[in-house]
Amino acid sequence: MRVTELSFENYRNLKTGSFVPTDGVNVICGSNAQGKTNLLEGLWLFTGGHSFRGARDGDLVRMQAGEAAEAASLCMKFFGGGREQEAQLKIRNGRRSAVLNGVNRKTASSLVGAFCAVVFSPEHLSLVKDGPSERRAFLDGAICQIHPSYATLLNQYTRTLQQRNTLLKDIPRHRELLDTLEIWDERLAGFGGAVMGERMRYTRRLRPAAEEIYHGISRASEAIGMEYQMTGAAKDTSSSDYGAALLQALSRCRRDDLAAGFTTVGPHRDDLLLTLNGTPARIFGSQGQQRSVVLALKLAEASVLEQVMGEAPVVLLDDVMSELDAGRQGYLLNHLEGRQIFITCCDPESLRLLEKGRVFLVEDGVVCEGR
């Protein structure tokens, strides 16, 4: 999968124009606040997702003289699914509409699956730095890309969890409700066991790709490790027994759950332990090492997507070079063959490491080709 052209009008701070990337590495260089990340964000929107920066759709329309333009538009030509395709996005009145190959789509999210990409931004460092919820969200989002039906399963689990938690809060005042808890336990264990199974299978698929990529990034000086840690089952539990194990855990923790007023075990409490040379990356990893761990996870996610789709997704790397030494920068610029890469950077010195590819300079919202 590769982008052949991106055009934009009234999008963020970008002046009306377009750029034509190469099939390999594309470095987007410029000072802060010139529009580099806006280009990557524009590409990402064609995956059907929301801005990876957390922006609302209304924030994507160009501001001028204190007022927003009437609408913003993006047009992308790309090769995917074995053919040339074209997609348009229009942002008007705080909402996005989409057209794919001349056919109007009901929503922009309906573009999911037509164009696939993986993105890294500095906000994703929370995968290592912050608590388990960030890592669970990473697993769930990655699984949804390869198994869209997983989103339905996850919603079923979440709704059942909310209902069980409401019941746990009500039981101290209405003891007659205690007998109904077992019904919710069985329902929660059924959905929860399936969620645990999907996450465990994905982790096992992700691990070898992340190990290989981190080996390259670190030039074999460090080893990454990952383990999906379940609160509702022992790690040696067979995947076919996750639901039964979770049901037993819910029964065992019932008194604690009633005292706390919420469910203390289950996939909503699980974690993905990330290690470097056997020690937790969150505690012992340097800034550069933690950034390398997240990069390895994101690039491994792209590898798994490629295995499933049969073609490599586009990789978007925003502000990736900072806090990486020259060896790690060189790996990202020159050793990710077989896929289209977009990398933003502020330091022109990084460009001397680029062996082949295309450089784009961004200044005050104007995009032009460099060397």
Side-chain angles (χ1 to χ4, degrees):
M1 188 162 287
R2 64 183 184 274
V3 177
T4 55
E5 184 178 1
L6 177 70
S7 304
F8 33 84
E9 182 179 1
N10 291 329
Y11 182 75
R12 293 281 200 177
N13 76 325
L14 296 176
K15 304 291 174 60
T16 299
S18 64
F19 81 116
V20 178
T22 185
D23 290 350
V25 177
N26 298 273
V27 180
I28 302 168
C29 189
S31 301
N32 289 328
Q34 300 304 301
K36 305 184 303 298
T37 301
N38 294 339
L39 278 178
L40 265 61
E41 180 187 50
L43 291 169
W44 172 256
L45 291 176
F46 284 97
T47 65
H50 293 287
S51 166
F52 60 79
R53 303 150 87 182
R56 298 172 300 178
D57 288 348
D59 298 330
L60 307 178
V61 180
R62 180 177 177 83
M63 297 293 294
Q64 196 165 14
E67 294 187 5
E70 183 178 343
S73 62
L74 294 161
C75 178
M76 186 178 74
K77 297 178 181 178
F78 66 102
F79 186 86
R83 62 195 178 105
E84 297 287 347
Q85 301 192 61
E86 183 173 322
Q88 293 95 32
L89 286 171
K90 179 158 283 190
I91 306 159
R92 184 191 297 271
N93 298 325
R95 299 185 65 182
R96 273 181 295 157
S97 60
V99 178
L100 179 63
N101 300 321
V103 179
N104 289 318
R105 294 299 188 101
K106 291 182 179 179
T107 63
S109 62
S110 64
L111 292 178
V112 171
F115 174 74
C116 292
V118 169
V119 63
F120 166 90
S121 74
E123 286 79 6
H124 291 132
L125 291 172
S126 61
L127 280 175
V128 175
K129 294 175 178 291
D130 292 350
S133 62
E134 297 290 338
R135 293 179 285 279
R136 291 193 298 266
F138 164 72
L139 289 175
D140 292 337
I143 295 169
C144 283
Q145 285 206 72
I146 59 177
H147 298 304
S149 60
Y150 177 73
T152 301
L153 172 64
L154 203 60
N155 286 334
Q156 289 172 322
Y157 177 79
T158 301
R159 287 198 303 269
T160 305
L161 176 66
Q162 292 170 344
Q163 290 165 326
R164 185 180 191 268
N165 285 344
T166 298
L167 183 60
L168 289 170
K169 292 182 177 70
D170 289 342
I171 286 174
R173 299 189 302 273
H174 304 279
R175 299 300 296 182
E176 69 276 8
L177 296 176
L178 184 60
D179 292 340
T180 66
L181 190 56
E182 188 171 340
I183 298 172
W184 290 107
D185 286 1
E186 292 176 355
R187 186 173 176 82
L188 190 70
F191 293 137
V195 170
M196 292 154 65
E198 290 287 354
R199 287 180 181 171
M200 182 64 81
R201 280 188 289 274
Y202 184 79
T203 301
R204 288 171 177 163
R205 198 168 190 175
L206 188 74
R207 185 184 296 116
E211 289 173 346
E212 180 180 354
I213 292 165
Y214 196 90
H215 184 272
I217 293 175
S218 69
R219 291 156 294 161
S221 63
E222 302 149 9
I224 190 176
M226 65 178 68
E227 178 187 339
Y228 180 56
Q229 297 182 317
M230 299 179 290
T231 57
K235 64 180 181 180
D236 59 350
T237 302
S238 169
S239 59
S240 61
D241 296 330
Y242 287 157
L246 179 55
L247 185 59
Q248 290 179 356
L250 291 169
S251 177
R252 186 172 60 250
C253 297
R254 178 171 294 184
R255 180 174 297 179
D256 292 339
D257 290 357
L258 286 167
F262 58 84
T263 306
T264 58
V265 294
H268 63 289
R269 307 276 289 186
D270 292 351
D271 196 2
L272 180 67
L273 176 64
L274 301 171
T275 60
L276 284 175
N277 296 332
T279 61
R282 180 186 181 192
I283 300 173
F284 297 102
S286 67
Q287 294 288 334
Q289 287 174 321
Q290 291 180 345
R291 187 173 289 253
S292 298
V293 167
V294 178
L295 278 169
L297 288 177
K298 287 292 181 176
L299 293 173
E301 179 188 353
S303 294
V304 174
L305 263 175
E306 183 176 358
Q307 294 169 18
V308 174
M309 295 166 44
E311 59 182 337
V314 171
V315 176
L316 311 173
L317 304 176
D318 184 35
D319 190 21
V320 73
M321 296 299 192
S322 60
E323 298 172 347
L324 296 182
D325 59 37
R328 297 179 191 230
Q329 290 181 359
Y331 176 86
L332 293 174
L333 288 171
N334 303 308
H335 295 89
L336 297 177
E337 298 89 353
R339 59 191 58 164
Q340 190 180 42
I341 313 284
F342 295 84
I343 302 178
T344 66
C345 73
C346 295
D347 185 7
E349 277 297 301
S350 300
L351 301 182
R352 63 183 173 79
L353 300 170
L354 183 65
E355 296 173 2
K356 56 182 178 179
R358 189 169 292 171
V359 176
F360 295 88
L361 304 178
V362 182
E363 185 175 357
D364 193 26
V366 176
V367 184
C368 61
E369 188 171 348
R371 68 173 176 85

